[in-house]
Amino acid sequence: MKKIFLIAAIFAALTTSVFAKTKKADTSKIKVVTTIFPEYDWVREIAGESKNVELTLLIGNGVDLHSYQPSVQDIAKISNADIFIFVGGESDAWVENALKNATNKNMKVINLMEILGDKVKLEEIKEGMQAEEEEEHEHHHHEGEHHHDDDEDEEEEEEYDEHVWLSLRNAKILSTEIAAALCQKDSANAATYKANLASYTAKLDALDSKYNSAVLSAAKKTVLFGDRFPFRYLVDDYNIDYFAAFVGCSAETEASFETIIFLSKKVDELGLNTVLKIETGDDKIARTIIQNSKNKNAKILTLDSIQSTTLKQAKSGITYLKIMEDNLKVIEEALK
């Protein structure tokens, strides 16, 4: 199950004196605060060379979205933001309280999942995928009996896949929304933001076209992950099928015997030459899958979910597009 934030303690600590001691920023600049790197990079692309945007990446130390807990300093940055951008999934449960305490009441808030609306997908438990332990416990609760409580369990709140940034097509929609917010807050530079958006959109479209062509010409149409699977938006864009050990937001790290055997058989059945993992995962499960398949020479490849990209990487020149270009190379190799 996803993390539960100890929000009360953080907000209790966030007193007026904390804000009073916060270093005064240049009030002439548009302060934009983003939670994760894709948002940060979209703003950076649209702002371009503008000196009028002060950009902050909150989750820039390599911690992924699901493990992040905001510090008092992070909450203070949000409180004074002109534009605040966050994903809007269950991992961002802390945001509601942060915004209630915001000092800037004219803040423009961009919730990625809210913007995408019906394009947001429900979390999917695919065949062979290992459910989290709590879910399995609930599923087997009072096995063989039937109670009204069981009916209520089945009507649990639906969970949505929050990895919306891993679709180039979503990135295009979200970049447009970011550009509109910058134009609204800084109308004097609106023409620059619009021009930068047009240029960036063309690059997103070009890479989207490359993905489409690569998948259409590929020998195979299925990828297999010995890891969490946060790439549902990406594979759905190009009609790629997938199998994986866990859902994208899972906290599980050990795969069951049944999951390993199922995935190993899929490697054989589909004639796959690769097993994939994400950038923060080790290759233990992938190696075990390969060892239990007939293809002992299958490669382990890494696909980057862009949820743990650091500020240091961002400043060294890494971009959302570069990571997605590298991911395309991995997809091409996996579909050979």
Side-chain angles (χ1 to χ4, degrees), residues 125-132 136 224-228 243-247 250 252-267 275 285-286 288-290 292-293:
I125 305 291
K126 189 96 183 271
E127 182 190 9
M129 189 180 276
Q130 186 172 317
E132 294 194 69
E136 287 178 344
L224 187 141
F225 272 73
D227 208 334
R228 291 189 282 155
F243 294 95
F246 315 113
V247 296
S250 177
E252 300 296 318
T253 55
E254 296 292 332
S256 67
F257 174 78
E258 291 79 11
T259 296
I260 294 291
I261 295 304
F262 175 87
L263 294 173
S264 297
K265 285 180 177 177
K266 279 294 171 188
V267 169
V275 174
I285 297 172
T288 308
I289 291 167
I290 292 168
N292 284 278
S293 73

Side-chain angles (χ1 to χ4, degrees), residues 4-208:
I4 298 174
F5 288 98
L6 298 174
I7 298 299
I10 292 172
F11 288 98
L14 189 58
T15 60
T16 307
S17 61
V18 171
F19 290 115
K21 291 173 186 175
T22 302
K23 187 181 176 183
K24 275 198 168 183
D26 182 350
T27 53
S28 66
K29 290 191 175 184
I30 308 303
K31 293 183 287 297
V32 183
V33 176
T34 65
T35 53
I36 61 170
F37 174 74
E39 304 156 351
Y40 175 92
D41 196 49
W42 296 333
V43 175
R44 190 166 61 171
E45 290 284 350
I46 295 159
E49 299 299 315
S50 173
K51 304 295 184 189
N52 211 34
V53 175
E54 183 182 298
L55 182 56
T56 299
L57 174 61
L58 289 183
I59 312 177
N61 60 354
V63 172
D64 83 16
L65 177 67
H66 313 298
S67 306
Y68 170 70
Q69 296 189 45
S71 67
V72 172
Q73 289 77 16
D74 291 341
I75 301 298
K77 288 171 187 172
I78 294 167
S79 184
N80 292 299
D82 295 298
I83 301 172
F84 173 53
I85 307 170
F86 69 109
V87 176
E90 190 174 318
S91 295
D92 285 339
W94 55 271
V95 168
E96 185 180 352
N97 279 322
L99 294 177
K100 278 179 189 172
N101 289 274
T103 55
N104 183 0
K105 301 304 177 186
N106 295 315
M107 185 192 306
K108 171 68 176 175
V109 176
I110 298 177
N111 176 330
L112 303 190
M113 292 175 77
E114 194 174 272
I115 297 303
L116 291 170
D118 60 9
K119 293 187 187 324
V120 174
K121 301 173 186 292
L122 282 167
E123 206 168 65
E124 182 177 50
I125 305 291
K126 189 96 183 271
E127 182 190 9
M129 189 180 276
Q130 186 172 317
E132 294 194 69
E133 285 179 13
E134 271 189 49
E135 290 171 8
E136 287 178 344
H137 175 73
E138 286 166 10
H139 180 72
H140 294 296
H141 183 57
H142 296 310
E143 195 174 64
E145 299 176 23
H146 187 272
H147 298 289
H148 292 297
D149 289 346
D150 295 330
D151 293 335
E152 288 170 11
D153 283 347
E154 287 170 14
E155 292 175 12
E156 282 182 5
E157 189 178 340
E158 293 175 319
E159 291 185 5
Y160 290 88
D161 190 326
E162 51 192 38
H163 306 92
V164 293
W165 62 89
L166 286 164
S167 162
L168 292 162
R169 297 168 193 180
N170 285 351
K172 187 174 167 182
I173 294 166
L174 298 168
S175 295
T176 301
E177 188 71 21
I178 289 167
L182 284 171
C183 290
Q184 179 189 337
K185 292 291 183 182
D186 183 22
S187 56
N189 291 296
T192 299
Y193 301 141
K194 288 175 183 176
N196 290 342
L197 173 67
S199 174
Y200 192 55
T201 297
K203 291 175 185 175
L204 290 169
D205 283 339
L207 186 54
D208 180 23

Side-chain angles (χ1 to χ4, degrees), residues 166 168-169 204-218 231 234-235 237-238 240 303-304 306 320-332 335:
L166 286 164
L168 292 162
R169 297 168 193 180
L204 290 169
D205 283 339
L207 186 54
D208 180 23
S209 181
K210 283 183 183 178
Y211 265 90
N212 202 46
S213 298
V215 175
L216 285 174
S217 62
F231 298 98
L234 188 153
V235 298
D237 276 351
Y238 309 106
I240 302 170
L303 212 59
D304 194 334
I306 331 181
Y320 172 82
L321 275 174
K322 176 67 169 66
I323 296 172
M324 290 299 282
E325 284 165 359
D326 290 343
N327 279 347
L328 173 56
K329 292 172 189 171
V330 175
I331 292 285
E332 288 176 314
L335 296 179

